[in-house]
């Protein structure tokens, strides 16, 4: 629903700019995101893999007072808060927000 509203607002802005034409010359930048994909996921660290790479699983947050539920399969993600050259020490069971950057899953969880 939010993406639909963003698309409608963006379309309305573009139409208004098109109607103004050359009456007012100004530069405007608009950034939109294609599709209705989620931009981030809540994850739970399952185990350490190597260096700052961890095995994680996506979780769904429920009502207040309920435990998050694991969904999907385990995947690997890089913790940007740790050195790329040393073994990571993040504890299993840690929760974080993960995003997709290029072809890697990344998250930031301080020790």
């Amino acid at each position: 629903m939010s993406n639909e509203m963003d698309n409608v607002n963006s379309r309305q802005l573009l139409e208004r700019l098109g109607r103004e034409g050359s009456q007012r010359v100004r530069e405007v930048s608009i950034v939109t995101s294609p599709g209705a994909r989620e931009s981030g996921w809540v994850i739970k660290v399952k185990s350490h893999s190597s260096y700052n790479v961890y095995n994680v699983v996506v979780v769904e947050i429920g009502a207040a007072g309920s435990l998050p539920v694991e969904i999907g399969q385990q995947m690997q993600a890089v913790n940007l808060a740790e050195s790329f050259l040393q073994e990571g020490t993040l504890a299993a069971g840690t929760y974080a927000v993960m995003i997709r950057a290029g072809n890697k899953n990344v998250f930031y969880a301080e020790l």
Side-chain angles (χ1 to χ4, degrees):
M1 174 105 179
S2 176
N3 285 338
E4 291 175 14
M5 291 301 296
D6 290 342
N7 289 339
V8 168
N9 292 339
S10 297
R11 191 172 335 130
Q12 289 173 346
L13 177 61
L14 289 172
E15 289 172 358
R16 183 171 48 98
L17 291 173
R19 284 192 303 269
E20 288 178 1
S22 60
Q23 294 171 357
R24 280 192 274 172
V25 177
R26 62 182 177 175
E27 186 173 329
V28 176
S29 297
I30 299 173
V31 178
T32 61
S33 177
R37 295 187 307 173
E38 296 181 51
S39 57
W41 303 268
V42 178
I43 58 160
K44 179 180 180 181
V45 174
K46 297 299 281 184
S47 63
H48 179 253
S49 179
S50 66
Y51 293 97
N52 62 339
V53 179
Y54 291 86
N55 298 311
V56 301
V57 65
V58 174
V59 296
E60 183 176 317
I61 305 294
S66 66
L67 293 173
V69 177
E70 295 180 7
I71 56 175
Q73 297 179 358
Q74 283 191 28
M75 63 192 87
Q76 291 193 327
V78 177
N79 183 5
L80 300 176
E82 295 181 307
S83 171
F84 286 85
L85 303 176
Q86 297 176 359
E87 288 295 316
T89 58
L90 190 62
T94 302
Y95 291 90
V97 175
M98 177 184 76
I99 62 169
R100 185 99 175 138
N103 62 351
K104 298 284 185 188
N105 295 316
V106 297
F107 66 99
Y108 187 92
E110 292 186 35
L111 305 173

